[in-house]
């Protein structure tokens, strides 16, 4: 049965420009997206196979397919009949399976067979196996053997190599370890200038404190030890410094003058923290050659892991989106094909995607007469092609690389180019009014000010007055 849409929902599904619909659960986002499909057909803006409809899970894709098919069947117009006959050509799928389609058609670009396997579990096993073999083959490497001595073989295998492989090494994108090294060194050098200045500042504060006779007598030994701090610092004897600070204990038994001791303790705590950081920075700088050769070893590991994945034709989801973007960038004929094929692109639950997936959609929405080298900017997009739907508060796939800040940034980016104001859906059609008030209250408290960008801004929902 067709729904009676409210005016906001109608504005949303009939919009004539790129848009982002951000609204809470139950506000009718998926219904609006489905209705837009039918509206596009009925207004002859597109045919079934010219609309790319994407969701995040297979279940949602299957549901969406069913919903649109039945609505179309129920519509009963002659035009709907024609579209119904061609409905098997509709592309309503998960983004992953769409990426996989792109990658399969461009396997030759990446030296992969067309029948590659997509399996996260096998990838994890492959990462463990490749790490193990790689470590065995490089045991003689001085940097590696040092690391193994400190951390142990298994931790280097699981917590370093395997973890880096699964989370950071993807086909189609070369991780630049040397660039990472350079950036880290810059930061360390800055810190190595900043921290001693901070230290001096704390010492100066300490010297301005009054040392009334009794307090001084109580802590005579400790204060004498504090005096040796500076020479240790100057001579970069960080380990001794840490030991000294660790063992320092000031007595509070200073009678009515104990305030001074409390202040001293506070400064000593800060000195201790600064010394801790200094030790870390000092150690990292002193051992930079180990780090550098370890990182260059990781470059060979990356090449090895890459080879193994290709040899076994085994990919994970990140490889897939990475390769799909690379394919569209490299193979312009392919990009052109998809750009022409799809007049409209709609995507549900976009909060569960990340930058890479946004880039993929931007490539497909690039203006028809452009065929640029890089990822298009918002102003390079067709004006009425993208329809994003999502809910900032509902991102549940962070473990799979979802990055809700991308969705949050999208509204502003597209709105700046848009002819029409953004539409908000503020009525909740699912929950009971009491529950809505309850959730509004908690979200206002928890999310009132979004401290972290992955936290969503609070957007109040109106309860629908259902009779
Ligand atoms: N205008 C409306 N009138 C009545 N029910 C609606 C309306 N819009 C949506 N609904 C219903 O509300 C529920 C949630 O809609 P849905 O589109 O799944 O929301 P969302 O995707 O935002 O979570 C569904 O059962 C849907 O049929
Ligand atoms: Mg939905």
């Amino acid at each position: 049965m067709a729904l009676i849409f409210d005016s906001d929902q109608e504005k949303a599904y009939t919009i004539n420009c790129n848009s982002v619909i951000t609204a809470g659960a139950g506000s009718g986002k998926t219904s609006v997206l489905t209705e837009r499909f039918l509206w596009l057909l009925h207004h002859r803006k597109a045919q079934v196979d010219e609309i790319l409809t994407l969701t995040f899970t297979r279940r949602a894709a299957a549901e969406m397919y069913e919903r649109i098919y039945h609505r179309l069947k129920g519509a009963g117009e002659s035009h709907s009949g024609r579209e119904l006959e061609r409905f098997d050509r509709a592309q309503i799928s998960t983004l992953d399976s769409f990426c996989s389609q792109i990658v399969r058609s461009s396997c030759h670009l990446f030296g992969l067979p067309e029948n590659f396997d997509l399996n996260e579990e096998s990838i994890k096993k492959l990462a463990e196996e490749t790490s193990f073999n790689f470590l065995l083959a490089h045991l003689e490497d001085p940097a590696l053997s040092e690391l193994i001595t400190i951390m142990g073989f298994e931790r280097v295998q699981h917590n370093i190599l395997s973890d880096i492989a699964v989370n950071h090494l993807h086909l189609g994108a070369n991780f630049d370890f040397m660039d990472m090294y350079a950036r880290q060194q810059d930061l360390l050098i800055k810190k190595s200038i900043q921290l001693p200045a901070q230290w001096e500042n704390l010492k100066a504060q300490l010297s301005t404190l009054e040392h009334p006779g009794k307090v001084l007598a109580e802590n005579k030994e400790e204060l004498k030890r504090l005096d040796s701090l500076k020479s240790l610092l100057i001579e970069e004897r960080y380990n001794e410094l840490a030991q000294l600070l660790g063992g320092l204990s000031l007595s509070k038994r200073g009678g009515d003058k104990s305030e001074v001791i409390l202040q001293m303790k506070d400064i000593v705590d800060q000195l201790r923290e600064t010394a801790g950081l200094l030790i870390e920075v000092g150690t990292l700088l002193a051992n930079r050659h180990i780090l550098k050769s370890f990182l260059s070893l990781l470059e060979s590991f990356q090449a090895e892991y890459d080879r193994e994945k290709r040899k076994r034709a085994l990919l994970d989801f990140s490889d897939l989106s990475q390769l799909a973007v690379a394919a569209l960038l490299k193979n312009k004929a392919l990009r052109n094909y998809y750009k022409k094929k799809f007049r409209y692109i709609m995507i549900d639950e976009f909060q569960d995607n990340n930058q890479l997936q946004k880039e993929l959609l931007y490539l497909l929405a690039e203006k028809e007469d452009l065929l640029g080298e890089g990822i298009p900017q918002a102003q390079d997009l067709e004006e009425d092609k993208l329809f994003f739907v999502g809910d900032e508060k509902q991102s549940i796939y962070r473990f799979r690389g979802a990055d809700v800040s991308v969705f949050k940034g999208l509204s502003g980016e597209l709105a700046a180019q848009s002819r029409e104001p953004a539409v908000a859906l503020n009525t909740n059609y699912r929950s009971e009014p009491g529950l809505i008030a309850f959730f509004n209250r908690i979200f206002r408290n928890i999310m009132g000010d979004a401290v972290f960008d992955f936290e969503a801004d609070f957007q109040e929902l109106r309860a629908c007055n259902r009779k």
Side-chain angles (χ1 to χ4, degrees):
M1 194 191 69
L3 296 171
I4 300 168
F5 286 97
D6 68 40
S7 61
D8 288 336
Q9 289 177 322
E10 191 179 329
K11 255 188 242 150
Y13 73 72
T14 59
I15 202 153
N16 287 307
C17 57
N18 290 335
S19 57
V20 182
I21 311 286
T22 315
S27 56
K29 297 184 299 300
T30 303
S31 309
V32 159
L33 192 142
T34 310
E35 191 62 21
R36 182 166 173 82
F37 195 107
L38 295 150
W39 182 81
L40 290 172
L41 296 185
H42 289 158
H43 287 77
R44 301 186 188 249
K45 287 176 172 281
Q47 301 182 338
V48 277
D49 53 350
E50 292 174 328
I51 308 172
L52 174 62
T53 310
L54 301 169
T55 64
F56 200 73
T57 64
R58 265 189 249 164
R59 197 177 133 212
E63 255 178 50
M64 178 95 67
Y65 190 94
E66 283 285 300
R67 242 157 119 167
I68 297 176
Y69 181 77
H70 286 293
R71 283 278 286 115
L72 201 58
K73 216 170 163 182
E77 291 171 30
S78 63
H79 180 61
S80 302
R82 266 206 320 280
E83 295 302 335
L84 207 56
E85 276 168 25
R86 303 146 47 91
F87 201 70
D88 58 339
R89 295 196 213 160
Q91 171 102 41
I92 302 172
S93 63
T94 63
L95 187 55
D96 287 330
S97 90
F98 179 62
C99 284
S100 157
Q101 192 177 315
I102 295 179
V103 176
R104 277 183 216 283
S105 70
S106 356
C107 283
H108 59 284
L109 286 178
F110 311 107
L112 275 173
E114 247 181 68
N115 59 347
F116 63 78
D117 195 12
L118 197 65
N119 190 321
E120 300 269 322
E121 280 314 306
S122 310
I123 281 281
K124 278 185 196 143
K125 272 197 207 124
L126 179 70
E128 288 286 340
E129 212 179 296
T130 315
S131 308
F132 184 80
N133 293 333
F134 186 85
L135 287 181
L136 283 191
H138 292 86
L139 280 179
E140 302 295 312
D141 182 279
L144 187 61
S145 69
E146 187 126 352
L147 193 71
I148 291 177
T149 315
I150 298 167
M151 288 186 75
F153 186 92
E154 293 216 335
R155 275 175 71 205
V156 176
Q157 186 203 350
H158 300 304
N159 303 17
I160 302 190
L161 291 194
S162 221
D163 186 77
I164 289 178
V166 171
N167 296 309
H168 302 284
L169 306 183
H170 304 298
L171 290 180
N174 213 35
F175 192 94
D176 193 343
F177 288 103
M178 284 305 128
D179 175 62
M180 178 178 130
Y181 175 75
R183 279 185 289 127
Q184 197 200 41
Q185 292 302 304
D186 278 354
L187 190 79
L188 287 175
I189 289 166
K190 265 190 213 129
K191 285 272 168 211
S192 73
I193 297 168
Q194 233 173 45
L195 288 170
Q198 188 172 322
W199 178 280
E200 283 307 320
N201 186 5
L202 287 167
K203 285 268 303 180
Q205 282 181 37
L206 204 59
S207 65
T208 61
L209 289 181
E210 287 172 35
H211 294 182
K214 198 172 170 201
V215 178
L216 205 75
E218 286 269 351
N219 293 286
K220 201 164 153 210
E221 282 309 305
E222 295 289 336
L223 291 172
K224 211 156 77 198
R225 285 169 67 192
L226 264 180
D227 281 342
S228 59
L229 291 179
K230 190 164 182 183
S231 60
L232 290 180
L233 181 73
I234 290 170
E235 290 160 31
E236 297 187 10
R237 287 152 63 192
Y238 297 130
N239 287 333
E240 287 164 68
L241 194 72
Q243 263 173 12
L244 186 103
L245 282 170
L248 208 62
S249 77
L250 293 168
S251 159
K252 274 202 247 182
R253 287 180 293 127
D256 51 347
K257 300 287 187 212
S258 64
E259 181 62 22
V260 178
I261 287 293
L262 286 178
Q263 283 176 9
M264 265 188 212
K265 280 191 158 235
D266 183 42
I267 296 177
V268 169
D269 280 344
Q270 291 184 54
L271 278 169
R272 213 170 257 161
E273 201 186 313
T274 312
L277 290 173
L278 260 169
I279 289 161
E280 244 174 74
V281 169
T283 316
L284 283 168
L285 281 175
N287 295 300
R288 68 180 95 180
H289 59 285
I290 300 182
L291 181 68
K292 193 168 181 186
S293 45
F294 182 66
L295 289 177
S296 77
L297 203 62
L298 283 180
E299 284 192 326
S300 335
F301 172 68
Q302 167 163 252
E304 182 70 37
Y305 183 57
D306 201 277
R307 246 193 317 276
E308 285 300 317
K309 268 185 179 171
R310 285 173 208 270
K311 203 166 86 193
R312 304 190 197 194
L314 197 56
L315 267 59
D316 64 16
F317 288 108
S318 306
D319 294 325
L320 197 64
S321 21
Q322 199 75 247
L323 287 181
V325 169
L328 292 174
L329 277 172
K330 266 195 201 172
N331 187 347
K332 291 189 175 172
L334 183 79
R335 191 191 327 166
N336 218 12
Y337 166 78
Y338 280 115
K339 275 169 62 177
K340 288 217 165 80
K341 177 170 167 56
F342 296 119
R343 178 66 201 87
Y344 289 93
I345 300 173
M346 309 200 287
I347 173 156
D348 201 3
E349 307 285 5
F350 194 76
Q351 76 280 353
D352 288 324
N353 290 288
N354 58 31
Q355 180 65 15
L356 206 55
Q357 284 136 355
K358 177 189 126 179
E359 290 177 357
L360 182 106
L361 299 178
Y362 271 28
L363 278 164
L364 297 177
E366 186 186 43
K367 280 195 174 119
E368 206 169 324
D369 52 350
L370 284 181
L371 214 51
E373 294 304 320
I375 306 293
Q377 303 291 304
Q379 67 267 22
D380 303 327
L381 304 178
E382 287 289 337
E383 290 180 359
D384 178 21
K385 189 158 188 177
L386 291 169
F387 189 77
F388 291 96
V389 162
D391 179 2
E392 295 168 4
K393 290 201 227 39
Q394 276 187 300
S395 185
I396 47 179
Y397 285 95
R398 285 184 65 205
F399 66 91
R400 260 197 57 183
D403 178 0
V404 75
S405 67
V406 173
F407 182 62
K408 289 186 81 177
L410 204 59
S411 308
E413 209 171 294
L414 292 185
Q417 306 296 324
S418 174
R419 296 182 299 252
E420 294 179 41
V423 183
L425 306 179
N426 291 318
T427 307
N428 186 304
Y429 288 96
R430 198 180 275 150
S431 317
E432 291 308 313
L435 269 184
I436 294 173
F438 170 75
F439 282 121
N440 280 343
R441 196 181 304 280
I442 346 187
F443 278 116
R444 191 163 18 219
N445 289 337
I446 300 176
M447 300 184 147
D449 69 325
V451 183
F452 304 110
D453 59 4
F454 56 80
E455 279 185 0
D457 291 317
F458 169 72
Q459 198 180 0
E460 200 160 347
L461 281 170
R462 271 194 313 258
C464 162
N465 193 7
R466 283 182 293 179
K467 302 213 171 77

